Amino acid sequence: MSELIPENMDEVKLKMARMLIDGHKVTEEEVIFQAVADLFQDYLEEAEEGHYDTSKLADDGMTFTVTGISGRQIAEFKSNGESFVEDFKKDALDLCFRLEDEAQRIALL
């Protein structure tokens, strides 16, 4: 994955510190939310060998929807816990594996 996308809580804290130095005040939840959204999109593009489908994480952080190049929704999946942010906080590595597995599954649709 990209160096710019945090994959664990240590990297989240590092990104928050860098953003603060650059004058951007963000919360831990905001950084994790964006990281989860970016991670899944990256996994999806890797699984499909290009940008064919677009993922969106709902504002409540509980559901991903995937839209195909035709503009039609082709997949949806939910967090295991309260939200993907909470899933990340609980076990970031497990969530990364799950996102990667979902991306592989969707790529085969």
Side-chain angles (χ1 to χ4, degrees), residues 30-45:
E30 290 170 328
V31 172
I32 295 170
F33 182 95
Q34 191 60 54
V36 170
D38 291 345
L39 282 168
F40 181 66
Q41 185 64 46
D42 277 3
Y43 289 136
L44 190 59
E45 290 176 13

Side-chain angles (χ1 to χ4, degrees), residues 40 62-64 75-79 84 98-99 102 106:
F40 181 66
M62 292 180 59
T63 307
F64 267 108
E76 179 178 282
F77 65 97
K78 296 188 178 297
S79 64
F84 283 103
R98 179 171 181 230
L99 294 176
E102 288 288 347
I106 291 166

Side-chain angles (χ1 to χ4, degrees), residues 49-107:
E49 298 179 0
H51 183 87
Y52 298 100
D53 299 331
T54 302
S55 65
K56 176 163 180 19
L57 181 55
D59 290 339
D60 63 6
M62 292 180 59
T63 307
F64 267 108
T65 56
V66 179
T67 305
I69 57 175
S70 66
R72 185 177 56 89
Q73 182 178 324
I74 60 169
E76 179 178 282
F77 65 97
K78 296 188 178 297
S79 64
N80 287 336
E82 288 179 33
S83 69
F84 283 103
V85 170
E86 292 305 315
D87 292 350
F88 186 97
K89 287 180 180 180
K90 183 178 176 185
D91 189 341
L93 183 60
D94 183 63
L95 177 61
C96 287
F97 286 139
R98 179 171 181 230
L99 294 176
E100 190 171 21
D101 289 346
E102 288 288 347
Q104 290 291 332
R105 181 186 64 80
I106 291 166

Side-chain angles (χ1 to χ4, degrees), residues 19-31:
M19 292 179 80
L20 189 57
I21 289 169
D22 292 340
H24 304 286
K25 187 174 180 181
V26 294
T27 66
E28 185 177 86
E29 284 73 20
E30 290 170 328
V31 172

